[in-house]
Amino acid sequence: MERESSGGRGRQADLTGFEEFYQSAYARLVGQLFSVTGSLEQAEDVVQEAFIRALDRWPRIQAYDVPELWVRRVAINLAVSEIRRLRRRAAALLRLGAQRPQPQLTPQTMGVAEMLRRVPVNQRPVLLLHDVLDLPIEQVAEQLGLPVSTVRGRLARARANLARHLAADPEGALSRHGRA
């Protein structure tokens, strides 16, 4: 029992060391990564992610002569990966260009969106696929990668939530936009 409590103190000491390391290196690394990313927000994101990864490996990293080098390398790798990802995305969007059709946001579509916002997010796909698009429950389950029983449960809860909202606001958004 005594070993467990001393181990807990050691872990706490490790975390205190990490917190000191974080406080001393964070601003400096963000400044350095800003030069790589050109964006303060992106620099903060990659440095924070690098510190999260360092925390997971802190017992090993703290033994390095300069742990900051490891964090900087990870942050740079993350920044370069993000820049490459954004370039690929921009190139793909340019290729699509004028080919991208504009969505049809009819009053009916707006009414469906308003209706779906009234139920929790995990119930929305089930309600859309089954009640709006009229897919059978088995197909909804297959498309969402869920068991049929989960789809049935979410559908029942979504309908109950929606019924409560409609009862509380009978002249609400759905009557203004039309029902699907």
Side-chain angles (χ1 to χ4, degrees), residues 21 23-34 47 68 72:
F21 168 60
Q23 292 298 323
S24 70
Y26 177 80
R28 181 173 44 257
L29 287 170
V30 169
Q32 294 166 0
L33 268 292
F34 174 76
V47 169
E68 187 173 333
R72 181 184 305 116

Side-chain angles (χ1 to χ4, degrees), residues 25-47:
Y26 177 80
R28 181 173 44 257
L29 287 170
V30 169
Q32 294 166 0
L33 268 292
F34 174 76
S35 299
V36 174
T37 64
S39 160
L40 181 59
E41 182 181 327
Q42 191 176 10
E44 288 175 329
D45 285 348
V46 296
V47 169

Side-chain angles (χ1 to χ4, degrees), residues 5-174:
S5 64
S6 67
R9 282 191 300 261
R11 177 76 173 142
Q12 188 62 32
D14 286 351
L15 291 179
T16 301
F18 181 82
E19 290 170 13
E20 291 168 4
F21 168 60
Y22 177 83
Q23 292 298 323
S24 70
Y26 177 80
R28 181 173 44 257
L29 287 170
V30 169
Q32 294 166 0
L33 268 292
F34 174 76
S35 299
V36 174
T37 64
S39 160
L40 181 59
E41 182 181 327
Q42 191 176 10
E44 288 175 329
D45 285 348
V46 296
V47 169
Q48 287 171 5
E49 178 62 28
F51 271 109
I52 289 169
R53 293 180 185 190
L55 178 60
D56 290 342
R57 298 163 179 83
W58 186 240
R60 184 183 54 145
I61 293 170
Q62 72 179 344
Y64 293 171
D65 291 336
V66 186
E68 187 173 333
L69 296 178
W70 187 93
V71 175
R72 181 184 305 116
R73 180 76 248 160
V74 170
I76 288 170
N77 289 347
L78 290 167
V80 168
S81 293
E82 180 66 9
I83 290 167
R84 288 179 181 152
R85 187 188 69 77
L86 290 173
R87 282 186 186 151
R88 284 191 304 271
R89 181 182 167 123
L93 288 173
L94 285 174
R95 282 193 303 274
L96 291 174
Q99 300 170 6
R100 192 174 67 211
Q102 294 299 314
Q104 298 297 319
L105 299 179
T106 64
Q108 184 179 17
T109 302
M110 298 300 287
V112 169
E114 177 64 28
M115 175 189 67
L116 291 176
R117 279 194 294 273
R118 293 171 181 239
V119 298
V121 70
N122 71 335
Q123 297 170 6
R124 292 175 191 172
V126 172
L127 198 60
L128 173 72
L129 294 173
H130 186 269
D131 285 4
V132 177
L133 300 180
D134 205 29
L135 297 180
I137 286 180
E138 293 76 17
Q139 193 173 351
V140 172
E142 183 180 331
Q143 283 192 16
L144 297 177
L146 297 171
V148 170
S149 60
T150 301
V151 170
R152 285 191 175 112
R154 287 184 184 179
L155 186 58
R157 287 189 298 279
R159 287 172 175 166
N161 283 327
L162 189 57
R164 277 193 300 277
H165 285 292
L166 291 174
D169 185 19
E171 298 300 318
L174 290 179

